[in-house]
Amino acid sequence: MQATQETDQHWMQQALRLARLGAALNEVPVGAIVVHENRIVGRGYNSPISRVDPVAHAEIQALRDAAVTLNNYRLVDCDLYVTLEPCTMCAGAIVHSRIRRLVYGATEPKAGAVASQAELLDMPWLNHVVAVTGGVLEGECSQLLSDFFRRRRLEKKQAKQPGCC
């Protein structure tokens, strides 16, 4: 299926829904879906805190779910939609799973490994090439993260204040 801005936005909305689920669990709100033949075959949201698992990033969860759904560790002809630019670990998992196309929302200036801090998916020594589209619904994706961290900072500040009365 030919990717269009409209279809990318549709699928990114689905990833945003998952990111909001993560935020409700007080996890950093990042959501991801894997799409194969115009249907979602994998879903994930950040959950390293609740799962007590340092690798439970949204992308990893979605890739694992898709592999089970498709009964194949190779996700050929699958596209990954994620609300935040992937980190180094997730970029590696994207290559190893053979994702055809990565679509992300917000850039990650501190740890982004696709465009911001590194361009790992463009390394000539990789054995798989992943097409990349960034900035899909970037404003919504960024706002969700900003709101989450603003709320967390406020909660920490309030927790430091002595009780009244």
Side-chain angles (χ1 to χ4, degrees):
M1 181 180 141
Q2 180 75 16
T4 66
Q5 185 176 7
E6 186 177 297
T7 57
D8 283 350
Q9 289 176 354
H10 167 76
W11 294 124
M12 190 61 73
Q13 285 291 349
Q14 307 309 307
L16 276 161
R17 286 189 180 114
L18 290 166
R20 290 182 191 102
L21 285 176
L25 296 172
N26 218 22
E27 299 275 3
V28 175
V30 178
I33 62 165
V34 176
V35 176
H36 179 257
E37 296 179 351
N38 206 33
R39 74 179 177 104
I40 297 174
V41 294
R43 292 174 174 82
Y45 55 84
N46 262 12
S47 54
I49 298 166
S50 57
R51 291 179 187 256
V52 193
D53 180 356
V55 299
H57 289 195
E59 300 94 324
I60 301 297
Q61 299 304 319
L63 294 172
R64 285 176 172 161
D65 191 33
V68 170
T69 299
L70 297 174
N71 195 32
N72 194 339
Y73 74 106
R74 301 289 176 144
L75 303 176
V76 178
D77 298 327
C78 291
D79 301 331
L80 175 66
Y81 290 80
V82 61
T83 58
L84 183 65
E85 177 186 357
C87 69
T88 303
M89 174 184 69
C90 293
I94 289 165
V95 170
H96 287 294
S97 64
R98 304 300 192 264
I99 285 292
R100 170 179 57 196
R101 183 167 173 254
L102 165 68
V103 181
Y104 67 88
T107 56
E108 207 323 8
K110 291 182 181 176
V114 176
S116 297
Q117 289 298 323
E119 296 176 354
L120 292 182
L121 298 181
D122 293 335
M123 295 295 106
W125 42 264
L126 290 175
N127 62 349
H128 176 69
V129 176
V130 179
V132 177
T133 301
V136 175
L137 297 183
E138 183 174 14
E140 281 186 63
C141 295
S142 294
Q143 191 63 53
L144 182 61
L145 287 157
S146 295
D147 292 347
F148 174 80
F149 286 113
R150 185 177 306 109
R151 178 180 58 82
R152 288 255 304 250
R153 284 190 300 274
L154 181 60
E155 289 170 354
K156 283 184 180 184
K157 184 178 178 181
Q158 290 173 341
K160 288 181 182 179
Q161 294 178 350
C164 71
C165 309

